[in-house]
Amino acid sequence: MISTDPWIWLSALLTICSYSLLYGDNPLFRIGVYTYAGTVIGHSVVTGYFTLKSRFLPLFTGQKPILIIPLILGIMSLFVAWRKYAWVASFPIAVMIGVGTGISMRALMMTDIIGNVKAVISEAALIFTPPLTDQIGYLIKVIFTPIAVFYLLFTVFVRSPASKPAEYLRTIGKYIFLIYFGLSVGSAIMQLSGLAVSSLYRLIKLWLGL
Amino acid sequence: MAMRIPELKSQYIWAILLAIFTVAIIHPIEIPIPMSKATLDVYNMIENLPEGSIVAVGGAYVFAFDLESSASMIACLKQMARNHLRVVFVPLSVEAVQMHKYCIDMARVDEKYGGPWKYGRDYVQLPYMPGMDAALVAFLTDVHSAVATDVYGTPLDELPLMRDLHSYKDISLWICIHWAFPMIVRYVTSERGIPSVYFAQAAAYASYAPYMAMYPGKVFMTLGFLGGAQYEKLVGIKGLGYAAMNAYSFLVIAFVIFVILGNITMLTRLGEEEE
């Protein structure tokens, strides 16, 4: 049965407006785009306002006087819009980058670098464990990972007697990246078709009730 | 002279694709969904969580890109509600709030839809927490210092579920349905040892799959709508994942036909040019 919920009707109307681009640029599509952009910006502003309000409430009630520091830094960051005094904003930006780097550096090293190296080493042993499909998979991974890393590390390298084999490895590394990019593009297309399916699913199931 | 294939306008191609999608959704062809070990592992792990365990669902990214994960998430929410687990939604981006709300509503687990969950007792939606990594670390360290109210402005102390959640030590599992999964692996799994599940988008899967090798038995992932369809099968529902997989099956045939037609056209034109 067709939906009686006005929000579902609105959602369906905007979905159809968006899809009308497939026929070419038209006023319906523009209505959809402007509505979307306006809604997203409006929502972000309102969310930001309420977040700030709730975050700084303990400062004004006297529960957390230390919040005066982020408040001052936040106000300083607004100077970025004023060219003459834009340098004031560099202080809060520096604090933000410093805190971010400090927090993430250890976790990033442990997870993405050391963790990855450990995983590749531990998977080397699994090459000899059946089934065959898994063995091939692990073999590809254990060979491809160091070669791809080699390609990145030696993008620029000095000419030497080892240049020739290094050049071969770099070429293989380049192809490994191309395979990866191909896979990523294929997956991205799958994802976009999936998004189309989900919007049509909403139209057909939620709006038309078929 | 070779037969000339008429040129297809892009609008016709879109119309054909639209028809394929629509037919597949209205009349699914009952395709078999092969089960993967990865999806089964996630399902079994959640099945084995003790009743009343607290699961956090959170992360950050854009609604449209995260939507693909909703198929698995909706099925998983049904499973968690059935098993009497408790869930706290932790949005670290503005649009994550809507994404969480969308999944809860679509799963129909709240008692207002006849489901077993009661807001505040079984699940809580927290408001957007700015600061990304810093916000996540603050939340894991001390929940009540990091956030004071839920998304509706109710103080956390008034919500029974939140009285049992003070830090990461109270969280049994973290589920991520957002592209910013590396952040969850780094701070939740790597640093604090909490298992994490990522209902990955197809385009993100290849990039983040190595995390499963880095933390075997700690990091779990499912693959896009296929993972969603598998999860729906395990939970016993037919939802968005199933519809998407049906549409994909039709779509792949259409793609192959278009590729063949395109190549025939190109070869015919090459022949004509040579003549």
Side-chain angles (χ1 to χ4, degrees):
Chain A
M1 207 177 79
I2 196 157
S3 171
T4 51
D5 186 340
W7 293 109
I8 291 193
W9 273 81
L10 184 66
S11 151
L13 181 73
L14 287 171
T15 305
I16 292 167
C17 284
S18 305
Y19 274 122
S20 68
L21 178 69
L22 300 179
Y23 190 73
D25 196 8
N26 64 78
L28 276 179
F29 171 69
R30 281 162 187 256
I31 289 172
V33 167
Y34 295 149
T35 310
Y36 176 74
T39 312
V40 168
I41 293 168
H43 176 263
S44 298
V45 169
V46 172
T47 307
Y49 169 73
F50 282 110
T51 306
L52 274 178
K53 204 175 139 189
S54 65
R55 291 278 151 160
F56 286 110
L57 190 65
L59 169 68
F60 299 115
T61 55
Q63 288 169 291
K64 281 188 185 174
I66 197 159
L67 286 178
I68 191 76
I69 297 170
L71 183 67
I72 291 169
L73 287 171
I75 292 166
M76 283 168 76
S77 70
L78 296 175
F79 278 81
V80 76
W82 195 359
R83 185 170 288 186
K84 195 177 169 188
Y85 296 103
W87 58 270
V88 176
S90 56
F91 291 101
I93 290 169
V95 170
M96 223 158 63
I97 293 173
V99 171
T101 312
I103 289 174
S104 63
M105 192 52 80
R106 184 177 161 271
L108 196 138
M109 288 286 285
M110 285 305 292
T111 311
D112 292 50
I113 299 174
I114 297 171
N116 228 331
V117 172
K118 270 165 66 180
V120 173
I121 293 169
S122 64
E123 283 183 345
L126 297 171
I127 295 171
F128 306 102
T129 316
L132 185 66
T133 45
D134 286 1
Q135 286 177 291
I136 295 169
Y138 287 126
L139 185 68
I140 289 172
K141 205 168 166 184
V142 169
I143 294 172
F144 277 23
T145 307
I147 297 177
V149 171
F150 183 87
Y151 173 73
L152 289 177
L153 290 178
F154 297 97
T155 308
V156 179
F157 68 99
V158 183
R159 292 271 158 212
S160 72
S163 293
K164 199 75 180 167
E167 191 59 46
Y168 285 131
L169 281 176
R170 287 180 69 243
T171 309
I172 298 169
K174 192 165 67 184
Y175 284 116
I176 290 168
F177 271 103
L178 288 175
I179 292 168
Y180 170 74
F181 292 141
L183 280 171
S184 298
V185 171
S187 305
I189 291 171
M190 287 282 279
Q191 179 169 13
L192 294 175
S193 348
L195 293 177
V197 173
S198 61
S199 63
L200 287 172
Y201 185 80
R202 282 198 307 279
L203 278 183
I204 293 164
K205 297 280 178 187
L206 294 183
W207 181 47
L208 298 176
L210 292 175
Chain B
M1 196 179 137
M3 187 186 73
R4 192 176 177 84
I5 294 173
E7 195 163 324
L8 265 181
K9 280 186 174 179
S10 66
Q11 283 90 340
Y12 296 155
I13 297 175
W14 290 122
I16 293 167
L17 290 179
L18 192 69
I20 290 168
F21 277 136
T22 312
V23 169
I25 291 169
I26 298 174
H27 293 294
I29 51 168
E30 304 290 329
I31 57 156
I33 306 287
M35 192 52 62
S36 75
K37 189 183 171 297
T39 310
L40 198 60
D41 285 346
V42 176
Y43 179 83
N44 287 335
M45 188 184 50
I46 292 175
E47 277 296 298
N48 292 330
L49 285 177
E51 201 173 293
S53 300
I54 297 176
V55 177
V57 175
Y61 213 67
V62 181
F63 190 111
F65 281 96
D66 290 341
L67 192 63
E68 196 181 355
S69 305
S70 66
S72 303
M73 189 69 242
I74 290 165
C76 182
L77 282 174
K78 282 180 179 292
Q79 181 196 11
M80 291 195 287
R82 193 179 64 197
N83 291 0
H84 304 290
L85 302 178
R86 295 181 292 169
V87 175
V88 176
F89 293 87
V90 189
L92 298 168
S93 66
V94 173
E95 292 184 40
V97 182
Q98 289 97 315
M99 178 70 186
H100 297 162
K101 178 89 174 83
Y102 170 78
C103 291
I104 298 162
D105 286 347
M106 293 297 280
R108 296 286 192 267
V109 285
D110 191 284
E111 56 185 8
K112 73 180 171 190
Y113 298 114
W117 268 357
K118 183 181 178 178
Y119 185 79
R121 184 193 68 193
D122 301 303
Y123 77 99
V124 167
Q125 242 200 304
L126 296 178
Y128 159 58
M129 284 184 256
M132 296 291 277
D133 300 38
L136 177 60
V137 172
F139 176 82
L140 292 165
T141 310
D142 185 350
V143 173
H144 291 256
S145 291
V147 59
T149 67
D150 72 349
V151 76
Y152 304 109
T154 315
L156 292 192
D157 291 334
E158 292 177 18
L159 301 164
L161 165 53
M162 296 311 291
R163 287 200 283 267
D164 293 340
L165 176 62
H166 301 284
S167 73
Y168 72 93
K169 289 173 187 161
D170 302 315
I171 299 171
S172 304
L173 173 71
W174 193 290
I175 297 176
C176 180
I177 48 173
H178 309 277
W179 270 66
F181 182 57
M183 186 169 74
I184 304 301
V185 177
R186 285 171 201 152
Y187 303 111
V188 177
T189 305
S190 173
E191 289 199 336
R192 290 168 182 82
I194 302 168
S196 54
V197 169
Y198 178 32
F199 294 131
Q201 295 76 19
Y205 189 85
S207 305
Y208 298 159
Y211 287 128
M212 285 192 287
M214 288 179 219
Y215 300 100
K218 283 279 185 188
V219 172
F220 301 87
M221 285 171 67
T222 63
L223 171 60
F225 277 127
L226 175 63
Q230 290 166 339
Y231 217 102
E232 285 169 1
K233 189 179 173 183
L234 289 167
V235 175
I237 56 168
K238 281 181 180 172
L240 180 58
Y242 183 72
M245 289 321 293
N246 267 286
Y248 280 163
S249 310
F250 278 111
L251 200 66
V252 168
I253 298 168
F255 279 164
V256 171
I257 292 170
F258 283 134
V259 168
I260 293 170
L261 280 176
N263 278 288
I264 291 174
T265 313
M266 184 198 68
L267 291 171
T268 346
R269 286 191 185 163
L270 273 177
E272 279 174 13
E273 279 169 17
E274 279 171 12
E275 277 173 25

